[in-house]
């Protein structure tokens, strides 16, 4: 790939290596000659909206819904919060999280090789997800998260009150 094309990809992705590699890989897997591929990359220009839309359209209903909840919840995205907020069983949550990880929306957070939660692969992905949510949907998710915080942290509500206030 020509240096100027790599620089263009870098600038337009705000240096997000994952988005750069994903874009290059998506075009490389097609059976088109090098010149056409390079032109397609330039014209597509790795616009985050295009990448986001193409990835988001491939998500299952549960993964798309969980993505919205994760965006409102923000980092750290903890499994117990998701279980209470969604009222889904562990398999449904794990399947949706696996899908969100596969499509590069979320990445696991580990402490001492133990999964401690998830975070967005890049803040721009969270921002884009939040931008797509209606005010009514955000309100509904916030209420579910407030309920989840209260159920999980009922014995120490005073110490998590600031987090609840944010929702």
């Amino acid at each position: 790939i020509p240096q100027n094309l790599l620089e263009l990809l870098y600038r337009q992705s705000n240096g997000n290596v994952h988005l750069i590699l994903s874009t290059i890989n998506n075009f490389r897997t097609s059976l088109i000659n090098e010149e056409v591929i390079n032109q397609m990359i330039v014209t597509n220009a790795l616009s985050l909206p295009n990448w986001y839309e193409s990835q988001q359209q491939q998500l299952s209903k549960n993964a798309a819904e969980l993505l919205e909840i994760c965006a409102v919840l923000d980092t750290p995205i903890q499994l117990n919060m998701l279980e209470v907020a969604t009222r889904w069983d562990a398999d449904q949550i794990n399947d949706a999280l696996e899908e969100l990880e596969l499509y590069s929306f979320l990445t696991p957070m580990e402490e001492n090789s133990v999964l401690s939660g998830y975070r967005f692969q890049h803040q721009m992905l969270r921002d884009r997800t939040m931008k797509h949510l209606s005010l009514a949907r955000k309100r509904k998710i916030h209420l579910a998260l407030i309920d989840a915080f209260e159920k999980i942290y009922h014995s120490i509500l005073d110490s998590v009150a600031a987090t609840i206030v944010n929702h």
Side-chain angles (χ1 to χ4, degrees):
I1 296 178
Q3 181 68 27
N4 63 340
L5 184 54
L6 288 174
E7 290 170 2
L8 173 68
L9 292 172
Y10 183 83
R11 280 192 312 274
Q12 293 186 342
S13 69
N14 289 333
N16 186 317
V17 176
H18 180 75
L19 289 177
I20 294 168
L21 293 175
S22 177
T23 298
I24 292 169
N25 188 45
N26 286 342
F27 288 113
R28 292 271 180 236
T29 56
S30 57
L31 298 174
I32 304 171
N33 71 42
E34 248 353 83
E35 186 176 316
V36 173
I37 290 173
N38 289 342
Q39 185 58 43
M40 288 172 69
I41 292 173
V42 170
T43 55
N44 186 46
L46 191 69
S47 69
L48 180 63
N50 289 342
W51 181 88
Y52 179 91
E53 294 302 324
S54 71
Q55 296 294 83
Q56 200 267 349
Q57 289 173 2
Q58 297 178 58
L59 295 176
S60 67
K61 182 182 179 227
N62 279 358
E65 186 176 338
L66 195 65
L67 179 66
E68 294 174 351
I69 293 167
C70 290
V72 174
L73 179 58
D74 206 0
T75 303
I77 300 163
Q78 298 172 332
L79 296 176
N80 61 343
M81 284 297 296
L82 296 178
E83 288 171 357
V84 175
T86 61
R87 296 186 178 108
W88 296 350
D89 65 38
D91 286 340
Q92 288 175 294
I93 291 175
N94 287 331
D95 289 348
L97 284 170
E98 184 177 355
E99 194 173 334
L100 292 172
E101 192 177 343
L102 175 70
Y103 284 104
S104 303
F105 286 101
L106 300 180
T107 188
M109 296 169 47
E110 294 182 2
E111 290 179 21
N112 301 324
S113 299
V114 175
L115 179 66
S116 62
Y118 287 83
R119 65 177 175 77
F120 275 84
Q121 184 78 19
H122 196 283
Q123 183 62 32
M124 290 187 305
L125 296 174
R126 179 185 178 268
D127 295 344
R128 187 85 184 155
T129 304
M130 290 294 289
K131 182 179 175 183
H132 279 82
L133 291 175
S134 68
L135 186 57
R137 180 75 177 130
K138 286 178 189 174
R139 211 175 293 133
K140 183 178 179 180
I141 294 170
H142 278 295
L143 290 173
L145 291 173
I146 289 169
D147 186 52
F149 272 110
E150 289 175 346
K151 286 179 179 168
I152 292 170
Y153 299 108
H154 66 277
S155 63
I156 55 168
L157 271 179
D158 290 340
S159 62
V160 296
T163 304
I164 293 173
V165 168
N166 287 332
H167 290 282

